[in-house]
Amino acid sequence: RGQLTPPPRYTSITTGLLHTCSIMSSRVVACWGDNSSGQRTPPPQFATASLNPGYSPAEIDAGWFHTCATTGYGSLACWGDNSSGQSSPPAAPFDDDYVWVDVSAGAWHSCGLMVDGRIACWGADDDDQSFGHAIIDEAWLLPNEEFVDVEVGDQHSCALTDHGHIYCWGST
């Protein structure tokens, strides 16, 4: 009798408005569903397995019509609809490093958490959901706190600190 190919295994899953993406155990991003804005077509570095896990996808999140993912080395890529800049993360200034550890994709904006606890948002900002595209850092927090998670919705964003405090901005 023939050999069976084992079913794929997944390590994470995220859903957008009409699409779904997942990181497979083979360290490849797989997406399905609507592709009207290219939201299920990851860039080449996420579509094929890398022998170096640092280049492989680590975190993934889907917005309405776009998707973003980080790698083990802290780089970040977004794909799909970019009509409000939601798929264009900021480039690091020459004297600064942006090492991403988490990303959250919303309807028309996205935010990412950096290894040093700073947050950057990009895309739509009509309700201040991208915080004016400024870097959000410890100046916003109580002493000795740092951000450990960020999540975005349609018109707002929220972040959690290591002391259990939640900060939100944008429309309520």
Side-chain angles (χ1 to χ4, degrees), residues 84-103:
S84 295
Q86 67 269 38
S87 292
S88 296
F94 180 74
D95 61 345
D96 199 4
D97 286 328
Y98 287 180
V99 179
W100 304 98
V101 294
D102 195 14
V103 65

Side-chain angles (χ1 to χ4, degrees), residues 30-156:
C31 300
W32 55 94
D34 181 63
N35 198 35
S36 59
S37 297
Q39 66 268 38
R40 70 165 204 217
T41 307
Q45 72 262 30
F46 294 131
T48 57
S50 171
L51 297 177
N52 185 335
Y55 292 112
S56 300
E59 299 288 333
I60 190 166
D61 200 48
W64 279 14
F65 295 100
H66 72 291
T67 308
C68 297
T70 63
T71 69
Y73 282 144
S75 63
L76 172 67
C78 299
W79 58 93
D81 181 41
N82 197 34
S83 59
S84 295
Q86 67 269 38
S87 292
S88 296
F94 180 74
D95 61 345
D96 199 4
D97 286 328
Y98 287 180
V99 179
W100 304 98
V101 294
D102 195 14
V103 65
S104 184
W108 308 109
H109 77 292
S110 303
C111 294
L113 176 68
M114 293 176 246
V115 70
D116 61 5
R118 295 179 298 161
I119 293 174
C121 299
W122 56 93
D125 196 40
D126 49 320
D127 286 313
D128 206 28
Q129 67 267 37
S130 291
F131 202 73
H133 302 116
I135 299 294
I136 307 164
D137 59 19
E138 67 278 351
W140 238 56
L141 303 174
L142 295 171
N144 301 314
E145 274 191 318
E146 74 175 45
F147 291 116
V148 295
D149 193 15
V150 64
E151 295 294 329
V152 303
D154 184 7
Q155 299 291 319
H156 69 289

Side-chain angles (χ1 to χ4, degrees), residues 4-52:
L4 294 176
T5 302
R9 294 189 179 268
Y10 301 91
T11 61
S12 66
I13 190 166
T14 182
T15 59
L17 187 64
L18 299 171
H19 74 291
T20 301
C21 290
S22 181
I23 299 175
M24 299 174 67
S25 59
S26 61
R27 300 189 308 253
V28 171
V29 171
C31 300
W32 55 94
D34 181 63
N35 198 35
S36 59
S37 297
Q39 66 268 38
R40 70 165 204 217
T41 307
Q45 72 262 30
F46 294 131
T48 57
S50 171
L51 297 177
N52 185 335

